[in-house]
Amino acid sequence: MNQSVGNFLLQLSLSYEITGEGHVASDNRTTSNYSTLKMSRLNGKFALVTGGSQGIGFACIKELLNNGIQGVTLVDVNVSKGNESTALLKEEFGTERVIFIEGDVSKEDQVEDAFEKSFNHWKHLDIVINNAGVIAEQHWQKALLTNCGGTLQCSLTAFQYLSTKRNGRGGVIVNVASIVAVHPYAITPVYSSTKSFIVMLGRCLGDSIYHDHNGVRVVTVCPGLTITDFARNAGGLEALKSLVPHSQTSYNDDRDWLKSQS
């Protein structure tokens, strides 16, 4: 499923034209098969993916590399996992097409540092996928700083490098929200709210007034429940179990479904 989601995001990032409000795409536990894009669309292009060491972010990087992108920067706060994933990608796609940069998107200085290092290495930037996020219902400040602040900071920084008004080549920003942004999941009110923020951010920044001025498209995607380590290890969900009335079975039903997919 991860590979299909990665392909889905790649299709969106390269095929949508902004007309009016920024595009939002969603699915609910299902993904479709999408035809492979022509490799010429990505020749000579460079991407930066946050939260790229595993799950949807890692799948996106693999799809970009499979479809001929010249170089990708993997940004992640988890150094050991980032190095491990980068090594796997280099083994499969070559040592010159992927670099890893440690970065916490909730910290402005680290975001700016990651973008600067990536640009200095590749000399260009064309695609930014803001995928980093956390489920932290009991530590809502962390969730707000990472999911909302991180996505906003990365989007604004991306404009600085992509904008044709700043010597960029134009490009696309893909912000990864969630199906819970449009279909709230009651036991994750903080996570659901942060993902709703990402949807509205994309609708605003994706407006034609920004695209026409900067040559940058903004796309927001809302994947359904995707079987990743992030979903399996969402400890914040367990912490909220005691708050769910015994008569409500949706929580246990979803957890049972998730376990059955493992």
Side-chain angles (χ1 to χ4, degrees):
M1 184 181 288
N2 291 349
Q3 186 174 2
S4 297
V5 173
N7 193 10
F8 179 35
L9 265 65
L10 177 60
Q11 295 283 340
L12 287 170
S13 69
L14 297 181
S15 62
Y16 273 145
E17 295 294 335
I18 292 298
T19 54
E21 290 187 335
H23 285 282
V24 178
S26 65
D27 81 297
N28 189 10
R29 293 188 179 176
T30 60
T31 55
S32 301
N33 292 323
Y34 295 86
S35 59
T36 303
L37 291 175
K38 293 181 179 179
M39 294 182 70
S40 60
R41 297 290 299 276
L42 289 171
N43 283 344
K45 300 293 181 63
F46 301 90
L48 181 149
V49 181
T50 68
S53 67
Q54 57 189 328
I56 291 175
F58 185 74
C60 288
I61 293 176
K62 291 196 69 172
E63 286 298 321
L64 288 166
L65 293 168
N66 273 323
N67 284 276
I69 200 165
Q70 188 167 339
V72 181
T73 297
L74 187 164
V75 178
D76 206 289
V77 69
N78 188 328
V79 176
S80 60
K81 189 64 177 178
N83 285 325
E84 177 186 342
S85 298
T86 302
L88 291 173
L89 292 167
K90 287 184 175 182
E91 181 178 354
E92 182 173 356
F93 298 102
T95 59
E96 303 300 319
R97 297 179 65 194
V98 187
I99 63 170
F100 167 61
I101 297 175
E102 178 187 2
D104 183 344
V105 299
S106 70
K107 302 183 185 304
E108 182 178 350
D109 60 334
Q110 292 191 31
V111 169
E112 294 177 348
D113 183 64
F115 273 81
E116 182 178 2
K117 287 179 178 177
S118 177
F119 187 82
N120 288 341
H121 182 86
W122 302 117
K123 308 306 180 186
H124 294 287
L125 183 61
D126 305 282
I127 300 169
V128 173
I129 299 179
N130 292 319
N131 172 71
V134 298
I135 297 179
E137 297 298 310
Q138 289 187 312
H139 304 283
W140 57 267
Q141 295 95 334
K142 178 180 179 180
L144 291 176
L145 287 172
T146 302
N147 301 352
C148 298
T151 302
L152 175 58
Q153 183 62 46
C154 287
S155 295
L156 296 178
T157 305
F159 267 103
Q160 296 178 27
Y161 286 89
L162 300 178
S163 175
T164 55
K165 298 297 183 181
R166 291 175 173 262
N167 298 318
R169 304 192 293 193
V172 62
I173 299 169
V174 180
N175 290 331
V176 181
S178 168
I179 195 67
V180 301
V182 290
H183 296 288
Y185 194 40
I187 67 169
T188 57
V190 176
Y191 182 72
S192 298
S193 298
T194 62
K195 292 302 182 176
S196 293
F197 171 89
I198 293 173
V199 168
M200 187 52 65
L201 176 68
R203 288 193 181 279
C204 293
L205 294 182
D207 192 275
S208 59
I209 62 172
Y210 295 103
H211 174 257
D212 293 346
H213 182 73
N214 295 285
V216 178
R217 292 176 288 129
V218 179
V219 178
T220 305
V221 293
C222 299
L225 182 56
T226 307
I227 307 307
T228 65
D229 289 340
F230 176 79
R232 292 190 184 97
N233 301 323
L237 300 182
E238 296 294 345
L240 287 181
K241 190 172 183 180
S242 62
L243 300 180
V244 181
H246 293 299
S247 60
Q248 300 296 320
T249 60
S250 60
Y251 173 88
N252 289 325
D253 288 346
D254 283 352
R255 293 296 291 185
D256 289 342
W257 180 86
L258 179 60
K259 290 177 181 177
S260 72
Q261 304 300 309
S262 301

